[in-house]
């Protein structure tokens, strides 16, 4: 990914939390030490030079948690900076990590519905380990989210428990037995928005790397049951993209 060049003034504004990052490349150029110190009355708190992006998110969230706990994190959840709102969701989830999936989802919902794409990503990354630890209960709690009026909530319901995902640990029980995820996938197989469609397709593409026959059979079933549904056909086509043209062709033969 080519590095996006930003002006020194914009980098300064991003690092001081004065504006949101328009792209991931902009966020990657934030000086996290400056941003953290700005939020904590300019205390000197250097972060490890070799810390990765997500590690820095965790470290900053922990520092803010220690300074002000839940009241501070709640205030920061409305901050203009998407990265700061990301700190807030990591910090809040750390407080409630031993609670039920229902409680965790109540905490994470505003972030999952955030208008900024990055906050929505931080939301599922922060919540995923806790939800994966109570998989059956989490799937049950997430299932109503697949029918929510908010596109971002529907998308979160699928994205948060992808078997493999990105920037996260795999969920081995779903890699080994992906049919556990059907309560989340079935209601979304005719999802009309591409943003959420892509999460359904990516979930199945993840599963296809371990259980290709199961994914192929499911996609064939969906296509046979709704051969004219363009949304379903698009999901199926993208779900099978790693399995080769023959399987893709056989499972999308009803697409027009």
């Amino acid at each position: 990914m080519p590095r996006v060049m930003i002006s020194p003034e914009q980098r300064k504004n991003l690092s001081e939390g004065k504006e949101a990052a328009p792209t991931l490349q902009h966020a990657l150029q934030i000086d996290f030490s400056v941003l953290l110190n700005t939020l904590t009355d300019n205390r000197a708190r250097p972060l490890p030079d070799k810390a990765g992006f997500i590690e820095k998110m965790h470290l900053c969230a922990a520092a803010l948690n220690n300074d002000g706990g839940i009241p501070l994190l709640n205030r920061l959840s409305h901050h203009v900076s998407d990265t700061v709102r990301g700190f807030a969701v990591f910090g809040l989830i750390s407080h409630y990590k031993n609670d039920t999936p229902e409680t965790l989802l109540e905490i994470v919902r505003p972030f999952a519905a955030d208008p900024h794409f990055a906050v929505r990503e931080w939301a599922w990354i922060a919540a995923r380990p806790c939800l994966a630890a109570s998989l059956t209960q989490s799937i049950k709690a997430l299932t109503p989210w697949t029918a929510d009026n908010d596109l971002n909530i529907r998308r979160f319901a699928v994205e948060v428990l992808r078997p493999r995902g990105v920037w996260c640990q795999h969920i081995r029980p779903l890699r080994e037995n992906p049919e556990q995820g059907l309560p989340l996938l079935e209601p979304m197989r005719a999802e009309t928005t591409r943003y959420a469609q892509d999460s359904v397709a990516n979930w199945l593409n993840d599963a296809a790397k371990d259980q290709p026959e199961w994914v192929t059979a499911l996609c064939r079933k969906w296509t046979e049951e709704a051969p004219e549904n363009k949304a379903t056909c698009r999901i199926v086509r993208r779900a099978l993209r790693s399995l080769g043209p023959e399987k893709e062709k056989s499972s999308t033969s009803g697409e027009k």
Side-chain angles (χ1 to χ4, degrees), residues 1 24-25 27-28 52-55 57-58 90 117-118 121-122 124-126 128-129 159 162 164-170:
M1 181 185 300
L24 175 60
Q25 282 288 341
L28 291 172
F53 197 63
I54 294 180
E55 183 182 358
M57 296 294 295
H58 280 289
F90 276 105
F117 74 93
E121 297 305 301
W122 297 134
W124 73 255
I125 291 173
R128 177 181 170 94
E159 189 71 21
R162 279 176 55 182
R164 289 172 176 257
V166 293
W167 286 10
C168 61
Q169 289 190 343
H170 295 179

Side-chain angles (χ1 to χ4, degrees), residues 27-92:
L28 291 172
Q29 297 182 60
I30 290 173
D31 188 324
F32 276 67
S33 294
V34 171
L35 182 54
L36 177 60
N37 293 338
T38 299
L39 298 170
T40 55
D41 298 325
N42 291 313
R43 302 176 193 174
R45 288 192 175 177
L47 297 173
D49 290 336
K50 295 184 179 181
F53 197 63
I54 294 180
E55 183 182 358
K56 289 178 181 178
M57 296 294 295
H58 280 289
L59 290 170
C60 290
L64 294 168
N65 212 344
N66 289 335
D67 277 4
I70 292 176
L72 174 60
L73 294 170
N74 281 333
R75 289 200 302 275
L76 295 180
S77 68
H78 304 287
H79 199 279
V80 66
S81 166
D82 57 288
T83 305
V84 174
R85 299 202 298 279
F87 295 164
V89 70
F90 276 105
L92 288 169

Side-chain angles (χ1 to χ4, degrees), residues 34-252:
V34 171
L35 182 54
L36 177 60
N37 293 338
T38 299
L39 298 170
T40 55
D41 298 325
N42 291 313
R43 302 176 193 174
R45 288 192 175 177
L47 297 173
D49 290 336
K50 295 184 179 181
F53 197 63
I54 294 180
E55 183 182 358
K56 289 178 181 178
M57 296 294 295
H58 280 289
L59 290 170
C60 290
L64 294 168
N65 212 344
N66 289 335
D67 277 4
I70 292 176
L72 174 60
L73 294 170
N74 281 333
R75 289 200 302 275
L76 295 180
S77 68
H78 304 287
H79 199 279
V80 66
S81 166
D82 57 288
T83 305
V84 174
R85 299 202 298 279
F87 295 164
V89 70
F90 276 105
L92 288 169
I93 289 294
S94 72
H95 267 290
Y96 295 96
K97 62 183 178 181
N98 295 320
D99 279 74
T100 65
E102 289 81 3
T103 298
L104 289 169
L105 290 177
E106 184 179 348
I107 297 301
V108 82
R109 183 183 174 95
F111 301 96
D114 195 277
H116 196 286
F117 74 93
V119 180
R120 299 194 295 271
E121 297 305 301
W122 297 134
W124 73 255
I125 291 173
R128 177 181 170 94
C130 303
L131 295 177
S134 302
L135 195 56
T136 300
Q137 191 176 354
S138 295
I139 290 172
K140 182 178 180 180
L142 282 164
T143 299
W145 285 35
T146 64
D148 199 274
N149 290 331
D150 190 324
L151 149 67
N152 295 322
I153 295 298
R154 298 197 303 274
R155 188 252 186 184
F156 177 93
V158 175
E159 189 71 21
V160 69
L161 292 181
R162 279 176 55 182
R164 289 172 176 257
V166 293
W167 286 10
C168 61
Q169 289 190 343
H170 295 179
I171 302 175
R172 184 157 295 278
L174 289 176
R175 288 181 56 185
E176 295 173 351
N177 186 15
E179 68 182 61
Q180 295 178 82
L182 283 176
L184 304 177
L185 300 172
E186 285 284 359
M188 298 279 285
R189 65 176 176 171
E191 166 64 40
T192 57
T193 63
R194 291 199 168 197
Y195 184 54
Q197 284 176 9
D198 287 347
S199 283
V200 179
N202 289 338
W203 201 109
L204 290 170
N205 185 58
D206 281 359
K209 294 170 184 175
D210 295 292
Q211 307 294 338
E213 298 303 324
W214 180 84
V215 172
T216 302
L218 179 65
C219 288
R220 183 181 298 114
K221 172 178 174 290
W222 284 2
T223 304
E224 289 173 351
E225 291 176 352
E228 304 296 331
N229 191 298
K230 293 182 179 180
T232 301
C233 289
R234 181 178 183 273
I235 289 170
V236 165
R237 185 176 66 251
R238 289 183 59 79
L240 298 174
R241 64 187 183 272
S242 299
L243 295 182
E246 289 306 313
K247 288 189 175 181
E248 178 179 325
K249 182 179 178 181
S250 67
S251 293
T252 60

